[in-house]
Short mmCIF file of all heavy atoms in Angstrom, two decimals:
data_model
loop_
_atom_site.label_atom_id
_atom_site.label_comp_id
_atom_site.label_asym_id
_atom_site.label_seq_id
_atom_site.Cartn_x
_atom_site.Cartn_y
_atom_site.Cartn_z
N ARG W 45 -29.25 -0.41 -18.10
CA ARG W 45 -30.09 0.40 -19.05
C ARG W 45 -31.17 1.26 -18.29
O ARG W 45 -31.73 2.11 -18.68
CB ARG W 45 -30.85 -0.62 -19.91
CG ARG W 45 -29.81 -1.20 -20.97
CD ARG W 45 -30.52 -2.07 -21.91
NE ARG W 45 -29.57 -2.56 -22.83
CZ ARG W 45 -29.67 -3.58 -23.63
NH1 ARG W 45 -30.84 -4.20 -23.68
NH2 ARG W 45 -28.73 -3.94 -24.45
N THR W 46 -31.47 0.67 -16.95
CA THR W 46 -32.45 1.32 -16.16
C THR W 46 -31.91 2.68 -15.65
O THR W 46 -32.54 3.64 -15.67
CB THR W 46 -32.82 0.42 -14.99
OG1 THR W 46 -33.47 -0.73 -15.47
CG2 THR W 46 -33.89 1.20 -14.11
N HIS W 47 -30.67 2.70 -15.28
CA HIS W 47 -29.99 3.88 -14.69
C HIS W 47 -29.19 4.46 -15.90
O HIS W 47 -28.42 3.92 -16.55
CB HIS W 47 -29.14 3.68 -13.58
CG HIS W 47 -30.03 2.90 -12.46
ND1 HIS W 47 -30.79 3.68 -11.72
CD2 HIS W 47 -29.93 1.69 -11.96
CE1 HIS W 47 -31.39 2.82 -10.86
NE2 HIS W 47 -30.84 1.58 -11.06
N ARG W 48 -29.37 5.76 -16.16
CA ARG W 48 -28.53 6.51 -17.29
C ARG W 48 -27.78 7.74 -16.72
O ARG W 48 -28.23 8.81 -17.01
CB ARG W 48 -29.58 6.83 -18.34
CG ARG W 48 -30.18 5.58 -18.99
CD ARG W 48 -31.05 6.00 -20.08
NE ARG W 48 -31.43 4.74 -20.78
CZ ARG W 48 -32.12 4.84 -21.90
NH1 ARG W 48 -32.38 5.81 -22.57
NH2 ARG W 48 -32.32 3.58 -22.50
N PRO W 49 -26.99 7.39 -15.88
CA PRO W 49 -26.19 8.53 -15.28
C PRO W 49 -25.24 9.24 -16.34
O PRO W 49 -24.88 8.64 -17.26
CB PRO W 49 -25.33 7.85 -14.18
CG PRO W 49 -25.09 6.56 -14.82
CD PRO W 49 -26.27 6.14 -15.40
N PRO W 50 -25.04 10.54 -16.09
CA PRO W 50 -23.92 11.10 -16.96
C PRO W 50 -22.79 10.31 -16.80
O PRO W 50 -22.31 9.87 -15.71
CB PRO W 50 -23.89 12.56 -16.45
CG PRO W 50 -24.76 12.70 -15.34
CD PRO W 50 -25.43 11.36 -15.05
N ALA W 51 -22.01 10.22 -17.97
CA ALA W 51 -20.73 9.28 -17.90
C ALA W 51 -19.80 9.83 -18.99
O ALA W 51 -20.18 10.04 -20.08
CB ALA W 51 -20.99 7.89 -18.05
N PRO W 52 -18.45 9.99 -18.60
CA PRO W 52 -17.51 10.14 -19.58
C PRO W 52 -16.95 8.74 -20.05
O PRO W 52 -16.74 7.90 -19.25
CB PRO W 52 -16.43 10.98 -18.90
CG PRO W 52 -16.54 10.52 -17.56
CD PRO W 52 -17.99 10.04 -17.30
N ILE W 53 -16.76 8.68 -21.40
CA ILE W 53 -16.20 7.35 -21.95
C ILE W 53 -15.03 7.86 -22.66
O ILE W 53 -15.16 8.52 -23.65
CB ILE W 53 -17.27 6.62 -22.74
CG1 ILE W 53 -18.55 6.25 -21.92
CG2 ILE W 53 -16.52 5.35 -23.35
CD1 ILE W 53 -19.65 5.86 -22.83
N LEU W 54 -13.86 7.42 -22.35
CA LEU W 54 -12.67 7.67 -23.00
C LEU W 54 -11.99 6.35 -23.55
O LEU W 54 -11.90 5.48 -22.69
CB LEU W 54 -11.64 8.39 -22.18
CG LEU W 54 -12.17 9.83 -21.82
CD1 LEU W 54 -12.91 9.83 -20.69
CD2 LEU W 54 -10.79 10.74 -21.48
N GLY W 55 -11.63 6.28 -24.66
CA GLY W 55 -11.01 5.14 -25.35
C GLY W 55 -10.18 5.37 -26.59
O GLY W 55 -10.13 6.55 -27.03
N GLY W 56 -9.88 4.24 -27.20
CA GLY W 56 -9.15 4.41 -28.51
C GLY W 56 -9.26 2.99 -29.21
O GLY W 56 -9.40 2.05 -28.69
N PRO W 57 -9.05 3.20 -30.45
CA PRO W 57 -9.10 1.98 -31.31
C PRO W 57 -8.04 0.97 -31.15
O PRO W 57 -8.10 -0.15 -31.49
CB PRO W 57 -9.10 2.63 -32.76
CG PRO W 57 -8.30 3.80 -32.63
CD PRO W 57 -8.69 4.30 -31.26
N ARG W 58 -6.96 1.40 -30.49
CA ARG W 58 -5.81 0.38 -30.27
C ARG W 58 -5.88 -0.39 -29.03
O ARG W 58 -5.07 -1.08 -28.54
CB ARG W 58 -4.44 1.21 -30.27
CG ARG W 58 -4.24 1.72 -31.70
CD ARG W 58 -2.91 2.40 -31.71
NE ARG W 58 -2.51 3.03 -33.00
CZ ARG W 58 -1.68 3.73 -33.30
NH1 ARG W 58 -0.68 3.85 -32.43
NH2 ARG W 58 -1.49 4.21 -34.49
N ASP W 59 -7.10 -0.26 -28.33
CA ASP W 59 -7.36 -1.06 -27.07
C ASP W 59 -7.87 -2.41 -27.43
O ASP W 59 -8.99 -2.58 -27.97
CB ASP W 59 -8.35 -0.31 -26.29
CG ASP W 59 -8.63 -0.86 -24.92
OD1 ASP W 59 -8.26 -2.05 -24.83
OD2 ASP W 59 -9.15 -0.13 -24.02
N GLY W 60 -7.04 -3.44 -27.24
CA GLY W 60 -7.45 -4.74 -27.58
C GLY W 60 -8.42 -5.25 -26.65
O GLY W 60 -9.24 -6.21 -26.98
N TYR W 61 -8.54 -4.86 -25.47
CA TYR W 61 -9.54 -5.29 -24.54
C TYR W 61 -10.89 -4.66 -24.67
O TYR W 61 -11.95 -5.23 -24.65
CB TYR W 61 -9.06 -5.01 -22.98
CG TYR W 61 -9.98 -5.40 -21.97
CD1 TYR W 61 -10.28 -6.71 -21.66
CD2 TYR W 61 -10.80 -4.34 -21.30
CE1 TYR W 61 -11.15 -7.00 -20.63
CE2 TYR W 61 -11.61 -4.82 -20.26
CZ TYR W 61 -11.79 -6.24 -20.04
OH TYR W 61 -12.66 -6.52 -19.03
N MET W 62 -10.86 -3.33 -24.90
CA MET W 62 -12.23 -2.50 -25.10
C MET W 62 -12.03 -1.64 -26.33
O MET W 62 -11.69 -0.47 -26.25
CB MET W 62 -12.40 -1.69 -23.83
CG MET W 62 -13.72 -0.84 -23.97
SD MET W 62 -15.19 -1.84 -23.80
CE MET W 62 -15.47 -1.74 -21.96
N PRO W 63 -12.18 -2.15 -27.52
CA PRO W 63 -11.92 -1.45 -28.76
C PRO W 63 -12.96 -0.42 -28.90
O PRO W 63 -13.99 -0.28 -28.15
CB PRO W 63 -12.00 -2.44 -29.84
CG PRO W 63 -12.64 -3.67 -29.22
CD PRO W 63 -12.38 -3.66 -27.90
N ALA W 64 -12.81 0.45 -29.86
CA ALA W 64 -13.66 1.65 -30.04
C ALA W 64 -15.07 1.34 -30.24
O ALA W 64 -16.01 1.88 -29.63
CB ALA W 64 -13.18 2.44 -31.28
N GLU W 65 -15.47 0.17 -30.98
CA GLU W 65 -16.81 -0.21 -31.20
C GLU W 65 -17.38 -0.61 -29.75
O GLU W 65 -18.62 -0.42 -29.63
CB GLU W 65 -16.78 -1.47 -32.10
CG GLU W 65 -16.65 -0.93 -33.50
CD GLU W 65 -17.55 0.18 -33.86
OE1 GLU W 65 -18.84 0.18 -33.69
OE2 GLU W 65 -17.00 1.30 -34.49
N ALA W 66 -16.70 -1.14 -28.96
CA ALA W 66 -17.19 -1.57 -27.60
C ALA W 66 -17.53 -0.26 -26.85
O ALA W 66 -18.52 -0.16 -26.09
CB ALA W 66 -16.27 -2.39 -26.84
N ALA W 67 -16.71 0.71 -26.89
CA ALA W 67 -16.92 2.00 -26.33
C ALA W 67 -18.17 2.63 -26.91
O ALA W 67 -19.02 3.18 -26.05
CB ALA W 67 -15.75 2.87 -26.49
N ARG W 68 -18.35 2.56 -28.14
CA ARG W 68 -19.64 3.14 -28.69
C ARG W 68 -20.77 2.40 -28.24
O ARG W 68 -21.95 3.08 -28.26
CB ARG W 68 -19.35 3.09 -30.21
CG ARG W 68 -18.53 4.15 -30.78
CD ARG W 68 -18.55 4.17 -32.39
NE ARG W 68 -17.56 5.05 -32.93
CZ ARG W 68 -16.32 4.64 -33.36
NH1 ARG W 68 -16.01 3.24 -33.31
NH2 ARG W 68 -15.47 5.52 -33.85
N ALA W 69 -20.65 1.10 -27.91
CA ALA W 69 -21.82 0.29 -27.58
C ALA W 69 -22.42 0.92 -26.31
O ALA W 69 -23.67 0.81 -26.00
CB ALA W 69 -21.48 -1.18 -27.36
N TYR W 70 -21.67 1.49 -25.51
CA TYR W 70 -22.23 2.08 -24.17
C TYR W 70 -23.09 3.21 -24.60
O TYR W 70 -24.18 3.40 -23.70
CB TYR W 70 -21.13 2.62 -23.28
CG TYR W 70 -20.37 1.61 -22.48
CD1 TYR W 70 -19.10 1.11 -22.99
CD2 TYR W 70 -20.85 1.22 -21.17
CE1 TYR W 70 -18.54 0.15 -22.09
CE2 TYR W 70 -20.25 0.12 -20.53
CZ TYR W 70 -19.12 -0.34 -20.94
OH TYR W 70 -18.38 -1.31 -20.11
N LEU W 71 -22.98 3.88 -25.54
CA LEU W 71 -23.93 4.84 -25.95
C LEU W 71 -25.43 4.39 -26.22
O LEU W 71 -26.44 5.17 -26.01
CB LEU W 71 -23.50 5.78 -27.34
CG LEU W 71 -22.17 6.46 -27.01
CD1 LEU W 71 -21.80 7.07 -28.27
CD2 LEU W 71 -22.32 7.47 -25.82
N ARG W 72 -25.55 3.11 -26.55
CA ARG W 72 -26.86 2.43 -26.63
C ARG W 72 -27.52 2.38 -25.33
O ARG W 72 -28.78 2.63 -25.27
CB ARG W 72 -26.85 1.19 -27.20
CG ARG W 72 -26.50 1.31 -28.92
CD ARG W 72 -26.70 -0.08 -29.62
NE ARG W 72 -25.89 -1.02 -29.05
CZ ARG W 72 -24.77 -1.46 -29.55
NH1 ARG W 72 -24.17 -0.71 -30.52
NH2 ARG W 72 -23.93 -2.35 -29.11
N ASP W 73 -26.81 1.92 -24.29
CA ASP W 73 -27.44 2.09 -22.93
C ASP W 73 -27.38 3.25 -22.16
O ASP W 73 -28.24 3.33 -21.31
CB ASP W 73 -26.66 0.91 -22.13
CG ASP W 73 -26.83 -0.59 -22.82
OD1 ASP W 73 -27.92 -0.70 -23.48
OD2 ASP W 73 -25.89 -1.33 -22.74
N VAL W 74 -26.39 4.07 -22.41
CA VAL W 74 -26.23 5.39 -21.66
C VAL W 74 -26.15 6.46 -22.80
O VAL W 74 -25.09 6.92 -23.02
CB VAL W 74 -24.98 5.29 -20.82
CG1 VAL W 74 -24.94 6.54 -19.90
CG2 VAL W 74 -25.00 4.05 -19.87
N PRO W 75 -27.31 6.82 -23.30
CA PRO W 75 -27.28 7.73 -24.48
C PRO W 75 -26.73 9.22 -24.20
O PRO W 75 -26.37 9.79 -25.10
CB PRO W 75 -28.70 7.78 -24.96
CG PRO W 75 -29.45 7.33 -23.78
CD PRO W 75 -28.71 6.45 -22.99
N HIS W 76 -26.72 9.56 -22.92
CA HIS W 76 -26.21 10.87 -22.55
C HIS W 76 -24.78 10.84 -22.23
O HIS W 76 -24.32 11.83 -21.71
CB HIS W 76 -27.11 11.46 -21.53
CG HIS W 76 -28.59 11.68 -21.88
ND1 HIS W 76 -28.94 12.49 -22.87
CD2 HIS W 76 -29.66 11.02 -21.47
CE1 HIS W 76 -30.20 12.38 -23.03
NE2 HIS W 76 -30.74 11.52 -22.21
N ALA W 77 -24.19 9.69 -22.29
CA ALA W 77 -22.69 9.63 -22.13
C ALA W 77 -21.94 10.46 -23.03
O ALA W 77 -22.45 10.73 -24.17
CB ALA W 77 -22.24 8.22 -22.12
N GLU W 78 -20.73 10.83 -22.70
CA GLU W 78 -19.86 11.59 -23.55
C GLU W 78 -18.80 10.70 -24.05
O GLU W 78 -17.99 10.31 -23.22
CB GLU W 78 -19.35 12.86 -22.89
CG GLU W 78 -20.42 13.83 -22.45
CD GLU W 78 -19.93 14.98 -21.65
OE1 GLU W 78 -18.74 15.18 -21.67
OE2 GLU W 78 -20.71 15.63 -21.01
N LEU W 79 -18.57 10.42 -25.35
CA LEU W 79 -17.71 9.63 -25.76
C LEU W 79 -16.49 10.42 -26.48
O LEU W 79 -16.71 11.19 -27.24
CB LEU W 79 -18.34 8.69 -26.96
CG LEU W 79 -17.33 7.74 -27.59
CD1 LEU W 79 -16.66 6.81 -26.67
CD2 LEU W 79 -18.08 6.91 -28.67
N HIS W 80 -15.35 10.02 -25.96
CA HIS W 80 -14.15 10.67 -26.53
C HIS W 80 -13.14 9.57 -26.99
O HIS W 80 -12.68 8.88 -26.05
CB HIS W 80 -13.42 11.50 -25.49
CG HIS W 80 -14.31 12.61 -24.89
ND1 HIS W 80 -14.48 13.83 -25.51
CD2 HIS W 80 -14.93 12.66 -23.84
CE1 HIS W 80 -15.39 14.68 -24.99
NE2 HIS W 80 -15.81 13.88 -23.86
N LEU W 81 -12.90 9.55 -28.16
CA LEU W 81 -11.99 8.50 -28.77
C LEU W 81 -10.67 9.17 -29.21
O LEU W 81 -10.75 10.22 -29.97
CB LEU W 81 -12.64 7.80 -29.93
CG LEU W 81 -13.84 6.93 -29.57
CD1 LEU W 81 -14.40 6.28 -30.78
CD2 LEU W 81 -13.42 5.81 -28.56
N PHE W 82 -9.56 8.63 -28.74
CA PHE W 82 -8.29 9.14 -29.13
C PHE W 82 -7.73 8.21 -30.13
O PHE W 82 -7.54 7.01 -29.97
CB PHE W 82 -7.35 9.23 -28.06
CG PHE W 82 -7.83 10.12 -26.89
CD1 PHE W 82 -8.77 9.76 -25.83
CD2 PHE W 82 -7.34 11.43 -26.91
CE1 PHE W 82 -9.08 10.63 -24.99
CE2 PHE W 82 -7.81 12.30 -25.90
CZ PHE W 82 -8.60 11.84 -24.95
N ASP W 83 -7.51 8.71 -31.40
CA ASP W 83 -7.13 7.80 -32.55
C ASP W 83 -5.81 7.01 -32.22
O ASP W 83 -5.66 5.87 -32.79
CB ASP W 83 -6.86 8.66 -33.79
CG ASP W 83 -8.11 9.14 -34.33
OD1 ASP W 83 -9.18 8.64 -34.08
OD2 ASP W 83 -8.08 10.16 -35.15
N ASP W 84 -4.99 7.51 -31.46
CA ASP W 84 -3.68 6.86 -31.16
C ASP W 84 -3.62 6.24 -29.87
O ASP W 84 -2.53 5.90 -29.29
CB ASP W 84 -2.49 7.74 -31.40
CG ASP W 84 -2.63 8.99 -30.56
OD1 ASP W 84 -3.73 9.39 -30.08
OD2 ASP W 84 -1.58 9.76 -30.40
N ALA W 85 -4.79 6.02 -29.24
CA ALA W 85 -4.73 5.50 -27.80
C ALA W 85 -5.05 3.91 -27.77
O ALA W 85 -5.71 3.52 -28.59
CB ALA W 85 -5.72 6.20 -26.85
N GLY W 86 -4.54 3.34 -26.71
CA GLY W 86 -4.85 1.96 -26.47
C GLY W 86 -5.47 1.81 -24.99
O GLY W 86 -6.09 2.71 -24.63
N HIS W 87 -5.23 0.61 -24.46
CA HIS W 87 -6.01 0.33 -23.16
C HIS W 87 -5.51 1.20 -21.98
O HIS W 87 -6.29 1.53 -21.15
CB HIS W 87 -5.85 -1.09 -22.91
CG HIS W 87 -6.65 -1.60 -21.63
ND1 HIS W 87 -7.94 -1.72 -21.77
CD2 HIS W 87 -6.20 -1.96 -20.50
CE1 HIS W 87 -8.24 -2.10 -20.46
NE2 HIS W 87 -7.35 -2.33 -19.78
N TRP W 88 -4.24 1.55 -22.00
CA TRP W 88 -3.75 2.37 -20.93
C TRP W 88 -3.83 3.90 -21.21
O TRP W 88 -2.82 4.67 -20.95
CB TRP W 88 -2.26 2.03 -20.56
CG TRP W 88 -2.18 0.38 -20.30
CD1 TRP W 88 -1.78 -0.44 -21.14
CD2 TRP W 88 -2.74 -0.13 -19.13
NE1 TRP W 88 -1.95 -1.67 -20.51
CE2 TRP W 88 -2.38 -1.54 -19.36
CE3 TRP W 88 -3.47 0.26 -18.00
CZ2 TRP W 88 -2.93 -2.46 -18.41
CZ3 TRP W 88 -3.69 -0.60 -17.01
CH2 TRP W 88 -3.43 -2.02 -17.22
N LEU W 89 -4.83 4.33 -21.62
CA LEU W 89 -5.10 5.72 -22.18
C LEU W 89 -4.62 6.67 -21.00
O LEU W 89 -4.07 7.82 -21.38
CB LEU W 89 -6.60 5.95 -22.49
CG LEU W 89 -6.90 7.27 -23.06
CD1 LEU W 89 -7.88 7.18 -24.20
CD2 LEU W 89 -7.56 8.09 -22.01
N LEU W 90 -5.07 6.50 -19.86
CA LEU W 90 -4.74 7.52 -18.85
C LEU W 90 -3.22 7.62 -18.47
O LEU W 90 -2.71 8.51 -18.15
CB LEU W 90 -5.46 7.30 -17.53
CG LEU W 90 -6.98 7.54 -17.59
CD1 LEU W 90 -7.61 7.19 -16.26
CD2 LEU W 90 -7.23 8.96 -18.04
N GLU W 91 -2.52 6.57 -18.86
CA GLU W 91 -1.04 6.61 -18.69
C GLU W 91 -0.37 7.23 -19.81
O GLU W 91 0.72 7.84 -19.80
CB GLU W 91 -0.55 5.06 -18.43
CG GLU W 91 -0.91 4.58 -17.10
CD GLU W 91 -0.28 3.32 -16.81
OE1 GLU W 91 0.78 3.05 -17.46
OE2 GLU W 91 -0.73 2.59 -15.92
N THR W 92 -0.98 7.13 -21.07
CA THR W 92 -0.29 7.38 -22.23
C THR W 92 -0.85 8.86 -22.82
O THR W 92 -0.12 9.60 -23.57
CB THR W 92 -0.55 6.52 -23.40
OG1 THR W 92 -1.91 6.35 -23.66
CG2 THR W 92 0.18 5.25 -23.13
N HIS W 93 -2.06 9.15 -22.45
CA HIS W 93 -2.81 10.46 -22.86
C HIS W 93 -3.27 11.29 -21.76
O HIS W 93 -4.31 12.00 -21.91
CB HIS W 93 -3.77 10.09 -23.90
CG HIS W 93 -3.26 9.41 -25.12
ND1 HIS W 93 -2.80 8.19 -25.06
CD2 HIS W 93 -3.16 9.80 -26.37
CE1 HIS W 93 -2.39 7.83 -26.37
NE2 HIS W 93 -2.61 8.90 -27.16
N LEU W 94 -2.80 11.21 -20.57
CA LEU W 94 -3.25 11.96 -19.39
C LEU W 94 -3.34 13.38 -19.83
O LEU W 94 -4.38 14.11 -19.34
CB LEU W 94 -2.41 11.74 -18.25
CG LEU W 94 -2.89 12.38 -16.95
CD1 LEU W 94 -4.34 11.75 -16.58
CD2 LEU W 94 -2.00 12.23 -15.87
N ASP W 95 -2.50 14.06 -20.39
CA ASP W 95 -2.46 15.47 -20.76
C ASP W 95 -3.81 15.80 -21.64
O ASP W 95 -4.19 16.95 -21.49
CB ASP W 95 -1.15 16.00 -21.40
CG ASP W 95 -0.98 15.25 -22.77
OD1 ASP W 95 -1.32 13.93 -22.94
OD2 ASP W 95 -0.33 15.83 -23.71
N ARG W 96 -4.19 15.00 -22.43
CA ARG W 96 -5.43 15.12 -23.17
C ARG W 96 -6.72 14.68 -22.48
O ARG W 96 -7.66 15.24 -22.73
CB ARG W 96 -5.29 14.55 -24.61
CG ARG W 96 -4.22 15.06 -25.41
CD ARG W 96 -3.85 14.36 -26.62
NE ARG W 96 -4.97 13.81 -27.36
CZ ARG W 96 -4.87 12.96 -28.28
NH1 ARG W 96 -3.81 12.31 -28.57
NH2 ARG W 96 -6.08 12.49 -28.94
N ALA W 97 -6.58 13.69 -21.61
CA ALA W 97 -7.75 13.15 -20.98
C ALA W 97 -8.07 13.96 -19.64
O ALA W 97 -9.45 14.22 -19.58
CB ALA W 97 -7.51 11.77 -20.65
N ALA W 98 -7.21 14.50 -19.06
CA ALA W 98 -7.43 15.10 -17.80
C ALA W 98 -8.38 16.31 -17.94
O ALA W 98 -9.38 16.54 -17.25
CB ALA W 98 -6.33 15.50 -17.07
N PRO W 99 -8.12 17.22 -18.95
CA PRO W 99 -9.11 18.31 -19.21
C PRO W 99 -10.47 17.95 -19.43
O PRO W 99 -11.42 18.55 -19.06
CB PRO W 99 -8.47 19.12 -20.36
CG PRO W 99 -6.98 18.78 -20.38
CD PRO W 99 -6.93 17.38 -19.87
N LEU W 100 -10.66 16.81 -20.18
CA LEU W 100 -12.05 16.33 -20.50
C LEU W 100 -12.79 15.83 -19.31
O LEU W 100 -13.87 16.03 -19.14
CB LEU W 100 -12.00 15.23 -21.52
CG LEU W 100 -11.49 15.60 -22.87
CD1 LEU W 100 -11.23 14.39 -23.77
CD2 LEU W 100 -12.39 16.58 -23.62
N ILE W 101 -12.07 15.23 -18.41
CA ILE W 101 -12.50 14.72 -17.16
C ILE W 101 -12.95 15.76 -16.29
O ILE W 101 -13.90 15.80 -15.60
CB ILE W 101 -11.50 13.70 -16.42
CG1 ILE W 101 -11.44 12.38 -17.38
CG2 ILE W 101 -12.03 13.24 -15.12
CD1 ILE W 101 -10.30 11.47 -17.01
N ARG W 102 -11.92 16.85 -16.16
CA ARG W 102 -12.17 17.96 -15.22
C ARG W 102 -13.45 18.70 -15.73
O ARG W 102 -14.25 19.15 -14.99
CB ARG W 102 -11.02 18.90 -15.29
CG ARG W 102 -9.93 18.46 -14.35
CD ARG W 102 -8.97 19.60 -14.27
NE ARG W 102 -7.55 19.04 -13.73
CZ ARG W 102 -6.58 18.81 -14.44
NH1 ARG W 102 -6.47 19.10 -15.69
NH2 ARG W 102 -5.47 18.33 -13.92
N ASP W 103 -13.58 18.86 -17.06
CA ASP W 103 -14.59 19.56 -17.66
C ASP W 103 -16.05 18.77 -17.36
O ASP W 103 -17.03 19.42 -16.92
CB ASP W 103 -14.54 19.81 -19.12
CG ASP W 103 -15.80 20.48 -19.74
OD1 ASP W 103 -16.05 21.67 -19.45
OD2 ASP W 103 -16.40 19.85 -20.58
N PHE W 104 -16.00 17.60 -17.49
CA PHE W 104 -17.07 16.75 -17.20
C PHE W 104 -17.54 16.93 -15.67
O PHE W 104 -18.74 17.01 -15.50
CB PHE W 104 -16.82 15.27 -17.55
CG PHE W 104 -17.92 14.34 -17.17
CD1 PHE W 104 -19.02 14.12 -18.04
CD2 PHE W 104 -17.88 13.67 -15.88
CE1 PHE W 104 -20.06 13.38 -17.60
CE2 PHE W 104 -18.99 12.90 -15.55
CZ PHE W 104 -20.06 12.69 -16.37
N LEU W 105 -16.61 16.80 -14.82
CA LEU W 105 -16.94 17.01 -13.46
C LEU W 105 -17.52 18.35 -13.03
O LEU W 105 -18.39 18.47 -12.25
CB LEU W 105 -15.72 16.55 -12.49
CG LEU W 105 -15.29 15.08 -12.56
CD1 LEU W 105 -13.90 14.98 -11.86
CD2 LEU W 105 -16.34 14.30 -12.02
N ALA W 106 -16.86 19.26 -13.66
CA ALA W 106 -17.42 20.70 -13.36
C ALA W 106 -18.85 20.89 -13.86
O ALA W 106 -19.64 21.50 -13.13
CB ALA W 106 -16.47 21.75 -14.14
N ARG W 107 -19.08 20.33 -14.99
CA ARG W 107 -20.50 20.43 -15.56
C ARG W 107 -21.52 19.56 -14.78
O ARG W 107 -22.62 20.02 -14.63
CB ARG W 107 -20.55 20.16 -17.07
CG ARG W 107 -19.82 21.23 -17.99
CD ARG W 107 -19.92 20.86 -19.34
NE ARG W 107 -19.10 19.85 -19.72
CZ ARG W 107 -19.44 18.57 -20.07
NH1 ARG W 107 -20.74 18.25 -20.21
NH2 ARG W 107 -18.51 17.73 -20.47
N THR W 108 -21.01 18.38 -14.54
CA THR W 108 -22.05 17.44 -13.86
C THR W 108 -22.10 17.49 -12.25
O THR W 108 -23.18 17.16 -11.79
CB THR W 108 -21.77 16.07 -14.22
OG1 THR W 108 -20.51 15.65 -13.97
CG2 THR W 108 -21.96 15.88 -15.76
N LEU W 109 -21.08 17.88 -11.71
CA LEU W 109 -21.02 18.02 -10.18
C LEU W 109 -20.88 19.21 -9.68
O LEU W 109 -20.84 19.43 -8.48
CB LEU W 109 -19.97 16.93 -9.66
CG LEU W 109 -20.05 15.46 -10.13
CD1 LEU W 109 -18.84 14.70 -9.56
CD2 LEU W 109 -21.32 14.97 -9.59
N GLY W 110 -20.50 20.31 -10.62
CA GLY W 110 -20.44 21.55 -10.07
C GLY W 110 -18.93 21.90 -9.45
O GLY W 110 -18.86 23.06 -8.99
N PHE W 111 -18.10 21.01 -9.75
CA PHE W 111 -16.64 21.35 -9.25
C PHE W 111 -15.66 20.57 -10.03
O PHE W 111 -16.10 19.69 -10.75
CB PHE W 111 -16.47 21.05 -7.80
CG PHE W 111 -16.34 19.50 -7.64
CD1 PHE W 111 -15.06 18.91 -7.60
CD2 PHE W 111 -17.40 18.77 -7.45
CE1 PHE W 111 -14.90 17.45 -7.36
CE2 PHE W 111 -17.29 17.32 -7.20
CZ PHE W 111 -16.07 16.76 -7.20
N ALA W 112 -14.51 21.07 -10.11
CA ALA W 112 -13.45 20.38 -10.72
C ALA W 112 -12.22 20.15 -9.85
O ALA W 112 -11.84 21.11 -9.33
CB ALA W 112 -12.96 21.28 -12.01
N PRO W 113 -11.70 18.99 -9.86
CA PRO W 113 -10.60 18.71 -8.87
C PRO W 113 -9.34 19.24 -9.59
O PRO W 113 -9.32 19.58 -10.77
CB PRO W 113 -10.53 17.13 -8.99
CG PRO W 113 -11.16 16.80 -10.19
CD PRO W 113 -12.24 17.86 -10.43
N ARG W 114 -8.33 19.47 -8.59
CA ARG W 114 -7.16 20.11 -9.12
C ARG W 114 -6.19 19.00 -9.65
O ARG W 114 -6.17 17.95 -9.32
CB ARG W 114 -6.45 21.08 -8.16
CG ARG W 114 -7.35 22.17 -7.83
CD ARG W 114 -6.74 23.04 -6.89
NE ARG W 114 -7.64 24.07 -6.52
CZ ARG W 114 -7.31 25.41 -6.42
NH1 ARG W 114 -5.94 25.63 -6.36
NH2 ARG W 114 -8.04 26.26 -6.26
#
């Protein structure tokens, strides 16, 4: 709660380990985080939804760090 860095949070309601409500809870501690929930995603979001997640991550890095990895 002391440190509030920019952060992307990607998740989905089908994640049994970190459900959507848990992802939303991070916004209380890191209010400037960007939350992206994929309705049909589970715990392995980067394996199942990389085509949708990667552009969000690249955009986040471009805006916060000034560059986007390829």
